[in-house]
Amino acid sequence: MRELKFRFWNTIARRFQPSKRYAIDGNGNLLGYDFDLAQYDDDPVPFAQTCIIPQQYTGLKDKNGKEIFEGDLIKLTEIDEDSCFGREDTEVVEVKWLEDIAQFRAIFKSGRRTELHFVVQLPTVVSCEIIGNIYENPELLNN
């Protein structure tokens, strides 16, 4: 069984918000989380509900051993098996959780969606590296 972990993006502070406590049900669903919101003058409950975006750990790591979370941008380098010269293709993909099929997917610029575990573990993939995330580096999706 994979480890259930979350990180939290704070849309107001525009940074990841540490949280030492969060609750998960038996199916791995995030039930709630707790932050030290004393630093905010306004009512902390509506603040937390509107500005915190939870992101779940996929259970996978990149080539450097860094944990891959939903929202990460990954540079995948794959050997083109149809090339007689072993040409490598590199593409940036977004890691997304798709609720309707309950899977983490690699979303390619072309719109193709592939199950993330399958893509990362393909024998033709020679490199899988986190290069950013959708909040701090959205421009990487356009390259």
Side-chain angles (χ1 to χ4, degrees), residues 4-123:
L4 295 175
K5 275 189 203 183
F6 290 86
R7 68 181 183 190
F8 301 88
W9 177 253
N10 183 321
T11 61
I12 303 298
R14 300 188 53 77
R15 64 180 170 84
F16 285 101
Q17 179 81 34
S19 175
K20 295 191 180 357
R21 298 184 307 191
Y22 46 87
I24 301 170
D25 71 11
N27 295 321
N29 298 310
L30 183 65
L31 298 174
Y33 41 87
D34 185 24
F35 299 99
D36 178 13
L37 298 174
Q39 59 184 316
Y40 303 102
D41 294 333
D42 297 332
D43 182 8
V45 174
F47 172 82
Q49 292 172 347
T50 60
C51 78
I52 301 295
I53 301 171
Q55 296 177 311
Q56 188 173 3
Y57 173 48
T58 64
L60 299 169
K61 295 182 180 181
D62 75 354
K63 71 175 192 172
N64 300 312
K66 190 172 177 185
E67 295 174 335
I68 300 173
F69 283 81
E70 64 181 298
D72 280 339
L73 300 175
I74 299 174
K75 182 169 73 172
L76 285 177
T77 303
E78 185 175 8
I79 295 173
D80 182 353
E81 292 181 315
D82 295 331
S83 167
C84 60
F85 300 108
R87 188 185 79 206
E88 292 183 354
D89 293 325
T90 300
E91 194 165 355
V92 174
V93 298
E94 177 185 349
V95 176
K96 252 188 182 171
W97 172 256
L98 298 182
E99 190 68 40
D100 56 334
I101 58 173
Q103 281 186 349
F104 287 105
R105 296 287 231 177
I107 311 297
F108 293 79
K109 287 181 191 178
S110 66
R112 180 173 63 120
R113 299 170 178 216
T114 305
E115 203 269 321
L116 184 67
H117 286 77
F118 178 73
V119 168
V120 170
Q121 297 170 359
L122 277 174

Side-chain angles (χ1 to χ4, degrees), residues 118-134:
F118 178 73
V119 168
V120 170
Q121 297 170 359
L122 277 174
T124 56
V125 172
V126 293
S127 180
C128 169
E129 180 179 20
I130 297 170
I131 58 170
N133 63 69
I134 59 172

